[in-house]
Amino acid sequence: QVQLVESGGGLVQAGGSLRLSCAASGSGFKIRAMGWHRQGPGKQRELVATITLGRTINYADSVKGRFTISNVKNTVTLQMNSLRPEDTAVYYCSANGYYYDGMNDFSSWGRGTQVTVSS
């Protein structure tokens, strides 16, 4: 089973920066894509950014120009600059891919890390 562990959340003032990381652990798997989603207070979970094995990147319009997603092997990082109070949310890491043994697909989520931006 692929497990994802996030780190790097916290409290920051508006205009500040935070860096989130997520590491995938387990064995016998290949990741096709990793990403970040977030769920703010009273809101539905929404996509923030994704990156594929081929380095195709997608950002939500609300974070373009401020957030940068990158990955190295099975770790994905989200650099968040010029943070705004509306970025306050629990940020979840996601990964999808397949297991070498049987080629079954998987889709995994982390437990989330809180990001709070004060005004």
Side-chain angles (χ1 to χ4, degrees), residues 36-70:
W36 291 93
H37 293 68
R38 67 186 181 187
Q39 187 165 13
K43 298 180 180 179
Q44 291 187 332
R45 189 174 297 190
E46 62 178 0
L47 181 145
V48 176
T50 59
I51 183 167
T52 70
L53 182 66
R55 295 289 196 274
T56 298
I57 292 173
N58 182 43
Y59 292 105
D61 288 342
S62 59
V63 307
K64 285 179 181 177
R66 301 188 298 123
F67 291 10
T68 302
I69 190 170
S70 60

Side-chain angles (χ1 to χ4, degrees), residues 61-107:
D61 288 342
S62 59
V63 307
K64 285 179 181 177
R66 301 188 298 123
F67 291 10
T68 302
I69 190 170
S70 60
N71 72 327
V72 175
K73 293 185 179 179
N74 292 335
T75 298
V76 64
T77 298
L78 186 68
Q79 177 66 43
M80 305 185 293
N81 298 328
S82 302
L83 283 161
R84 305 166 180 168
E86 54 263 40
D87 294 319
T88 295
V90 177
Y91 284 70
Y92 297 90
C93 175
S94 66
N96 66 75
Y98 61 91
Y99 294 104
Y100 292 122
D101 182 11
M103 300 292 285
N104 293 319
D105 289 347
F106 72 84
S107 179

Side-chain angles (χ1 to χ4, degrees), residues 2-14:
V2 177
Q3 293 188 329
L4 304 178
V5 178
E6 303 107 333
S7 62
L11 173 64
V12 65
Q13 288 188 333

